[in-house]
Amino acid sequence: MSSRPDINSATRWMNENRALLMLVALFGFLSLTAHNFLSLHNVTTILKGACLNGIAAIGFTLIFILGQLDLSIGAVVMLCGMLTIGLQPSLGWTGSIAVSLLSGSVVGLVNGWLVVRARINAFIVTLGTMTIVTGLMHLYSGGGSRAVTDFGFADWLERPLLPLLPPIVLITLVLVAVATVVLHATRVGRNVLMVGGNPETAWLAGIDRDRYLMAGFVLCSLSAAAAGTLFAASLSSMTSAAVLGTRALMTVLAAVIIGGTMMTGGKGSVVKSYFAVLMLTTLFNGIGCFGYGFEVQIFVNGLILAVVVLYEAYAIYQHELLKGQRQDLVAEAEEGLTGVWCEEQEDPEQEGDEMMQKDRFPLVCLTMVSIVGIVAIAAMYLNSNKAPVTVLAPTQAQATSAGAAAPTDATADVFALRGTDGQPYILPQQAKPSIPARPDDPGALPETDAGHWWDIEYAGWDVDKVPMPASPRDGSPGKRIVLLKAGDHPYWTAYVNGFTAMAEAYGMDVKIYNGNWNLDLQAQQTEQAINDRPDMVVLAPVDATGCTPLLRRMNKAGIPCITSNTIPCDEAMKYCLAWTGPDDWGQFRMLARTLADAMGKTGGYAIVRHMPGSSPFFARTYAPITELGAYAPDMKLLAMDTANLEAEGTMQLVSAWLTKYGNELKGLVLAGDGFSMTGTLEAVRKAGRKDLVIVAAGNSKTGMDSIKAGEALAITYQSAEGDGAIAVHSAARWFTGETLDPVIYLPKHIITKTDVDNYMPAQW
Amino acid sequence: MRRLLSHIGTLGVYGVAVVLLVIGRIVSADFLTGDNFLTILNAVALLGIVASGMAFVTYSGHMADLSLPSIMAFSGTIAVATLPWGLPVALLCGLAAGLCIGAMNGVVVGRFKANPILWTLAVAFFMEGFMRFTWSNNQVYPDTTPGSSGEAFIGIFRLSVGTIPVIVIVMLAMLVAGQIVMMQTRFGRETRYVGSSRAAAITSGIDVPQVVLLNFLLAAFAASVAGIFITSMNKLGVFYLGQGYDFRAVTAVVIGGVMLSGGRGNMLGVLGGVLVIGLLTNIMTFMGITSFRQNIVTGMVFIAVVGLQQYALRRGGRSYE
């Protein structure tokens, strides 16, 4: 009886090719179960979606094979994407791409030099460069996003040359192929594998390890730069929200591991990493097809990675048991001698008797994890069926019953619908606001002049829209509407509540995709939405400039689109019917005046800003600055900075300001009334400055509680449910044939202690 | 001299702290006030608590525990969700929840020898998915009517002994306790052995899986405590609390001299690392440097300090890498 561990060759083959097998299995499963999955358009979407991570994974695999780590690839993707777009107007595409790739190489050189020459640990070095490069990227972009109006290149990249193969996918495949061939078929490639796998032998063989490591880091950053460049070029814009980079790093890391490259080095394959990236992209796409949210995607992502990591550990354990053994001799011994000798040979082994139990332990745990995973997914599936999100399928019954109640009845009713805070979702159409004339050259004006920001503040008012699809003019009952929401946040939960309530009132069917603040993901989801062929798409952009190509694609596909919540740039406004949402700039002008009045139009103030890469980053900073500049010129702006909406960060920032400026600082403007308010109130409390006047953007529970307690003076009223409802309401109006104004604002109001009770309980 | 070099990690970080103090004094007269110090300590208290746990994971040679942020969010949210059962029960539930995750980590990394970074990353992913799903992507609010346990819960963060907030005391206590555990107990010495050379530790008869399990449990405990504080501060529990603390904690731990390879450094160094980060940020805010440039400076300081430490170790003959 032998308990000699043996991974038979079938298991080994399955393990070696697990990425490809998982991809094929997943693809097959989804084709059979998810409708709309197996279409030319959707498969192309998956291939396109795998480009960013796929190209970055090429370099990352190389670094892993060399036994090192590079955490900075996410930041390099963002920086190089930003450079590509930012320099395009002055240098053209060739110039900006060249500069961007060069900068990527420079970052790689720095990484390599620090690891090889200064001999600092790669984890440390790349953690540091990740922070530095992120800071550089934010500096260069100024916290905003960039876009170019030239869509020629982007279109060329996206249009399929052969079925399923647009140039961007072809470029990715070519790069993957070249890398694979070089790695496995050339001497240089084999040297790389040797340097990573057995540095001592490599040194003995005369291979210059330092040079290979240096080259590895440069190639890794270069591939990340290429990924970022192609991504930005395909969208003709780049966002500065750092989440894109962080997600890319995590996805690439998971993919490379799942693909079979180990962190210890010496073994790996670029093509397997690419298959793993494809598998993860297919997974996310498929889960989106079912209508499940991001939570399922990331849960399954984590589960797959966990299983793979466990299996790797098991494989290493098996391998170590075999260390030093001569397989052929042991096999001989098994066949020939069946006596005591054979078994005694195994006993002195390190692990001894426990070997038998341990042999099964990993397998048992693997099974357990898989069972837990399956149960969890089943639970989520069952639970999600009760969720208000329905799969796109208009029902006959709904059409006839809602049709009996004529559209006019629905219109009269919807104004009476109230949200959880007791306020009506929407008010009857207000008069179109009058806006000032556009200055001739806004860019030439100083930042403190309101005219400088005209294009951003009044985006959409002055554009010529491209030809739009015609309205069917048959009302809303039975219409299918897809919501591409920006991400998860309690505000958005309330938004979706208002959205679905209004849609139900109109008899519309709703399907929701969650972009999770990731432009890459939202781009893919746009394609999926087009694939669904709904009657209307409501897009809540992740990025104000990055949404332009998305709207363009939908317009070209003949699908009407309304943008919501975040005001897109002028260029994007051309391609959508209308934008609905809160008047961020106007609200903050009102808020600024409230602050000035409370401060007697004199004194110093500071601004806690929103997150860079979001549209409130500019609105909630420069609206108060320009307004106060005109309304209360005696007031002085002392400081402005962002704490990324974190409570502890805000607390630290405000405390430092209070120490530095003392009594000169009399007022604070906050870009958010949630965590920012909490942190600010802590800092104010500790400093004992009850005299400070605080105003913020609202209106969350935290903010309203602080108004009630008298700790803050005023917050803006921004009904999240109303935000969702007004988008649906505008869609319904369009379905009846009405022409929509290009910009439709939610009602504005400043909440103070006198009327805060009217808005309780809070929506979020 | 040799003893001095062996403590170069810890000394180094305090040296940097002194340099920063001098720079701070030059930048602003208000810098060296008790109030300002309290502000700095307050700002880094949470980071210090998480770092005290992360230090054990790093010290035992497991680089980093990337699941600590999700443990923070999980323990805090569970604590808020169980408040109806009373404050002590809620706190215990929160700690227990965090410890469960830590135990899982410890068993998988210790007994199954999975790669710690990749495993804890996987845990971070599926915990995020799990938390999002369980609470439907919403925030969980405690019931704060006066006299209820919810009110007491949010008061936890706001307690202070005199002028010193309780959170600062907890941070210092945990760091001192961690130092004692690391240096004076048998477990601490075994951890150092495991971190320095796992194979030698196995051969010496140390129960390595047990040691690793305890290390991850300690890290999870620290993260749970931090999670309760951060939830108390924000007055709500949600899945995205604590994001970013994994890398920040590793930064503090490594600046403090606890090398990534394991088996080096001590908790006092970690305290120094935390202080350095706090001082640096404070000085930069005083100088009016905005957060974008602050990132660049922090990154450069990080690489420089750690590079010097590694260099000193090599020169002193204490390390080969």
Side-chain angles (χ1 to χ4, degrees):
Chain A
M1 166 194 75
S2 164
S3 50
R4 180 170 57 84
D6 180 25
I7 313 175
N8 63 36
S9 53
T11 323
R12 182 180 293 149
W13 181 85
M14 271 171 55
N15 184 36
E16 287 287 312
N17 295 302
R18 61 184 178 221
L20 183 57
L21 285 174
M22 275 196 255
L23 173 64
V24 168
L26 199 57
F27 199 85
F29 174 70
L30 288 169
S31 312
L32 294 171
T33 49
H35 86 123
N36 281 347
F37 183 80
L38 196 60
S39 69
L40 206 66
H41 185 247
N42 200 36
V43 177
T44 317
T45 307
I46 293 175
L47 283 169
K48 285 197 284 192
C51 288
L52 171 64
N53 293 326
I55 298 181
I58 297 176
F60 202 75
T61 314
L62 235 80
I63 276 294
F64 256 40
I65 292 176
L66 287 169
Q68 304 287 335
L69 191 60
D70 187 346
L71 297 171
S72 62
I73 56 167
V76 172
V77 162
M78 300 216 60
L79 176 67
C80 293
M82 194 58 78
L83 283 173
T84 313
I85 297 295
L87 294 172
Q88 197 270 348
S90 40
L91 299 176
W93 284 117
T94 18
S96 67
I97 291 180
V99 170
S100 142
L101 291 177
L102 197 65
S103 336
S105 317
V106 166
V107 175
L109 270 171
V110 169
N111 280 339
W113 189 88
L114 285 169
V115 173
V116 171
R117 294 263 169 257
R119 292 168 69 187
I120 307 178
N121 188 305
F123 189 99
I124 308 277
V125 167
T126 52
L127 186 56
T129 41
M130 173 171 87
T131 327
I132 296 176
V133 171
T134 312
L136 284 172
M137 188 269 298
H138 278 143
L139 266 183
Y140 179 70
S141 66
S145 313
R146 297 241 179 154
V148 292
T149 49
D150 172 12
F151 281 101
F153 192 34
D155 279 341
W156 178 78
L157 279 174
E158 298 277 319
R159 201 176 309 121
L161 290 176
L162 305 165
L164 288 185
L165 294 176
I168 194 172
V169 176
L170 279 173
I171 294 176
T172 314
L173 291 175
V174 164
L175 286 173
V176 169
V178 165
T180 312
V181 163
V182 166
L183 194 56
H184 293 286
T186 66
R187 194 144 154 251
V188 168
R190 280 200 297 273
N191 286 350
V192 167
L193 287 162
M194 174 100 83
V195 166
N198 197 335
E200 222 179 285
T201 312
W203 179 77
L204 285 168
I207 301 173
D208 187 346
R209 178 170 184 253
D210 286 351
R211 193 183 297 176
Y212 275 86
L213 280 179
M214 216 37 160
F217 275 104
V218 171
L219 280 173
C220 183
S221 295
L222 193 58
S223 71
T229 308
L230 270 176
F231 176 71
S234 74
L235 287 177
S236 281
S237 70
M238 187 65 186
T239 174
S240 70
V243 74
L244 183 69
T246 327
R247 270 277 165 246
L249 171 64
M250 298 300 177
T251 314
V252 169
L253 178 59
V256 170
I257 296 296
I258 292 175
T261 308
M262 310 217 299
M263 237 165 130
T264 43
K267 175 180 116 107
S269 160
V270 170
V271 75
K272 284 185 203 163
S273 302
Y274 183 63
F275 284 142
V277 169
L278 272 177
M279 189 271 292
L280 284 173
T281 318
T282 314
L283 181 72
F284 275 39
N285 183 302
I287 293 180
C289 269
F290 281 121
Y292 293 145
F294 183 73
E295 57 266 16
V296 181
Q297 290 169 343
I298 195 151
F299 185 84
V300 177
N301 194 350
L303 217 54
I304 292 180
L305 186 60
V307 169
V308 166
V309 167
L310 282 174
Y311 190 83
E312 288 285 351
Y314 178 58
I316 292 180
Y317 158 75
Q318 293 277 24
H319 180 76
E320 281 191 359
L321 282 177
L322 292 175
K323 230 189 222 179
Q325 283 192 8
R326 294 275 303 276
Q327 294 276 50
D328 44 346
L329 291 182
V330 179
E332 236 183 60
E334 292 224 305
E335 286 164 24
L337 311 167
T338 49
V340 164
W341 188 42
C342 199
E343 270 155 35
E344 265 177 28
Q345 253 193 331
E346 289 159 359
D347 272 346
E349 289 277 349
Q350 274 283 330
E351 332 283 37
D353 271 325
E354 300 145 50
M355 191 163 68
M356 253 205 294
Q357 285 99 310
K358 269 195 186 167
D359 209 8
R360 294 189 205 123
F361 231 103
L363 272 171
V364 168
C365 289
L366 254 161
T367 331
M368 272 169 31
V369 168
S370 323
I371 291 175
V372 167
I374 293 172
V375 168
I377 295 178
M380 281 192 232
Y381 174 75
L382 289 169
N383 205 354
S384 301
N385 274 341
K386 300 182 203 140
V389 174
T390 56
V391 179
L392 232 37
T395 56
Q396 291 292 60
Q398 220 171 2
T400 42
S401 65
T408 40
D409 275 359
T411 320
D413 280 337
V414 297
F415 291 120
L417 289 174
R418 287 178 179 269
T420 48
D421 56 354
Q423 296 288 327
Y425 283 132
I426 48 177
L427 299 174
Q429 192 61 22
Q430 296 162 315
K432 187 169 164 176
S434 63
I435 53 172
R438 184 177 186 273
D440 285 325
D441 187 5
L445 297 167
E447 283 185 352
T448 45
D449 188 323
H452 178 89
W453 304 97
W454 200 95
D455 283 330
I456 300 180
E457 187 173 350
Y458 299 110
W461 283 108
D462 217 13
V463 290
D464 296 316
K465 295 208 183 273
V466 301
M468 293 285 165
S471 165
R473 292 175 186 268
D474 58 356
S476 19
K479 290 287 190 294
R480 295 146 68 233
I481 189 167
V482 166
L483 168 64
L484 292 166
K485 75 171 178 177
D488 279 319
H489 184 271
Y491 179 91
W492 285 97
T493 311
Y495 179 102
V496 166
N497 286 341
F499 192 92
T500 42
M502 187 61 68
E504 263 172 47
Y506 277 114
M508 297 191 214
D509 280 317
V510 175
K511 183 173 183 181
I512 305 180
Y513 288 98
N514 177 4
N516 201 44
W517 314 112
N518 188 336
L519 188 55
D520 190 15
L521 202 55
Q522 193 167 67
Q524 292 174 50
Q525 286 168 347
T526 312
E527 296 292 337
Q528 283 187 275
I530 296 177
N531 207 23
D532 286 330
R533 298 229 65 91
D535 298 296
M536 171 73 74
V537 170
V538 172
L539 169 69
V542 162
D543 183 81
T545 42
C547 61
T548 315
L550 312 185
L551 289 167
R552 219 165 141 259
R553 283 181 214 165
M554 283 195 277
N555 181 269
K556 279 199 175 157
I559 300 177
C561 180
I562 292 178
T563 35
S564 168
N565 180 265
T566 302
I567 308 180
C569 59
D570 261 346
E571 184 65 27
M573 284 288 217
K574 286 187 191 164
Y575 300 103
C576 63
L577 291 173
W579 173 84
T580 68
D583 180 8
D584 224 358
W585 286 85
Q587 280 175 172
F588 259 68
R589 291 187 185 285
M590 283 171 71
L591 195 67
R593 287 201 291 272
T594 315
L595 176 73
D597 290 337
M599 282 171 62
K601 295 201 188 179
T602 178
Y605 68 99
I607 303 182
V608 175
R609 307 179 75 175
H610 209 274
M611 284 203 293
S614 63
S615 66
F617 185 67
F618 290 116
R620 297 180 188 177
T621 309
Y622 287 102
I625 291 179
T626 52
E627 188 71 12
L628 289 173
Y631 186 70
D634 281 336
M635 285 175 69
K636 187 167 166 237
L637 171 69
L638 294 173
M640 64 183 202
D641 199 356
T642 173
N644 283 312
L645 295 183
E646 278 174 16
E648 316 82 70
T650 314
M651 183 175 82
Q652 192 172 1
L653 191 64
V654 174
S655 290
W657 284 343
L658 285 171
T659 315
K660 183 172 178 189
Y661 296 109
N663 284 323
E664 202 189 336
L665 181 63
K666 290 201 173 20
L668 282 173
V669 179
L670 310 180
D673 70 345
F675 289 170
S676 306
M677 178 71 85
T678 312
T680 307
L681 290 177
E682 283 304 310
V684 166
R685 192 180 58 94
K686 287 193 165 65
R689 291 285 308 271
K690 292 214 194 301
D691 59 301
L692 219 57
V693 181
I694 304 175
V695 296
N699 56 323
S700 73
K701 182 176 186 300
T702 315
M704 294 208 280
D705 283 345
S706 61
I707 298 261
K708 227 173 151 160
E711 292 165 332
L713 174 72
I715 54 177
T716 57
Y717 169 62
Q718 184 176 322
S719 171
E721 292 171 356
D723 201 358
I726 199 171
V728 173
H729 175 68
S730 310
R733 284 173 55 212
W734 186 80
F735 283 136
T736 59
E738 267 185 71
T739 328
L740 299 174
D741 283 336
V743 176
I744 300 173
Y745 288 131
L746 283 170
K748 291 190 280 283
H749 183 69
I750 302 289
I751 301 177
T752 53
K753 197 160 178 184
T754 45
D755 61 355
V756 65
D757 284 320
N758 296 340
Y759 299 95
M760 303 280 247
Q763 289 178 7
W764 58 278
Chain B
M1 188 58 186
R2 291 226 106 180
R3 283 289 292 278
L4 209 63
L5 271 177
S6 77
H7 291 299
I8 195 76
T10 321
L11 282 183
V13 71
Y14 280 105
V16 175
V18 167
V19 168
L20 284 175
L21 281 171
V22 171
I23 296 179
R25 178 67 185 84
I26 299 175
V27 164
S28 162
D30 294 316
F31 187 74
L32 283 180
T33 57
D35 265 346
N36 198 33
F37 276 148
L38 219 48
T39 308
I40 294 175
L41 279 176
N42 232 329
V44 294
L46 265 174
L47 180 62
I49 297 177
V50 179
S52 71
M54 180 74 90
F56 277 106
V57 172
T58 315
Y59 195 59
S60 63
H62 293 103
M63 297 247 279
D65 183 344
L66 298 178
S67 64
L68 288 186
S70 48
I71 296 180
M72 282 169 76
F74 189 52
S75 68
T77 316
I78 293 271
V80 171
T82 50
L83 272 176
W85 296 340
L87 183 64
V89 176
L91 292 180
L92 279 175
C93 285
L95 285 174
L99 286 174
C100 280
I101 312 284
M104 174 178 67
N105 285 341
V107 166
V108 171
V109 177
R111 197 161 287 283
F112 303 154
K113 294 188 233 159
N115 183 304
I117 299 228
L118 300 173
W119 171 255
T120 51
L121 183 66
V123 170
F125 280 171
F126 69 66
M127 281 310 298
E128 183 186 342
F130 178 72
M131 282 192 284
R132 277 172 177 260
F133 170 69
T134 314
W135 287 290
S136 309
N137 290 308
N138 281 335
Q139 296 163 172
V140 184
Y141 290 101
D143 167 26
T144 52
T145 50
S148 70
S149 49
E151 200 204 5
F153 182 74
I154 60 177
I156 291 177
F157 180 76
R158 291 152 180 95
L159 287 173
S160 46
V161 173
T163 46
I164 305 178
V166 164
I167 191 176
V168 173
I169 297 177
V170 168
M171 169 185 79
L172 291 171
M174 285 186 78
L175 283 169
V176 167
Q179 170 78 355
I180 296 174
V181 167
M182 220 185 231
M183 295 291 139
Q184 312 288 4
T185 64
R186 183 191 162 138
F187 163 71
R189 281 197 293 274
E190 284 180 350
T191 308
R192 186 184 332 159
Y193 214 159
V194 170
S196 309
S197 169
R198 194 187 180 123
I202 295 177
T203 333
S204 316
I206 294 178
D207 186 355
V208 171
Q210 175 114 324
V211 168
V212 172
L213 173 66
L214 276 172
N215 276 311
F216 273 93
L217 275 175
L218 281 170
F221 175 71
S224 305
V225 171
I228 290 179
F229 272 114
I230 200 176
T231 338
S232 168
M233 181 204 195
N234 286 304
K235 301 188 204 154
L236 51 85
V238 72
F239 62 87
Y240 53 78
L241 280 180
Q243 262 172 13
Y245 270 93
D246 45 3
F247 284 137
R248 268 185 255 173
V250 174
T251 310
V253 162
V254 174
I255 288 188
V258 181
M259 295 279 120
L260 273 183
S261 46
R264 263 185 229 293
N266 55 43
M267 274 300 187
L268 291 178
V270 174
L271 174 61
V274 167
L275 284 175
V276 162
I277 291 181
L279 284 167
L280 195 57
T281 320
N282 192 276
I283 292 179
M284 288 198 283
T285 314
F286 263 83
M287 285 167 73
I289 299 179
T290 51
S291 69
F292 302 159
R293 291 194 176 87
Q294 280 188 17
N295 276 345
I296 299 178
V297 173
T298 313
M300 292 200 291
V301 166
F302 176 60
I303 294 179
V305 170
V306 180
L308 280 171
Q309 282 170 344
Q310 276 194 279
Y311 176 73
L313 278 176
R314 275 200 302 272
R315 289 287 275 173
R318 311 281 296 183
S319 169
Y320 57 84
E321 56 180 41

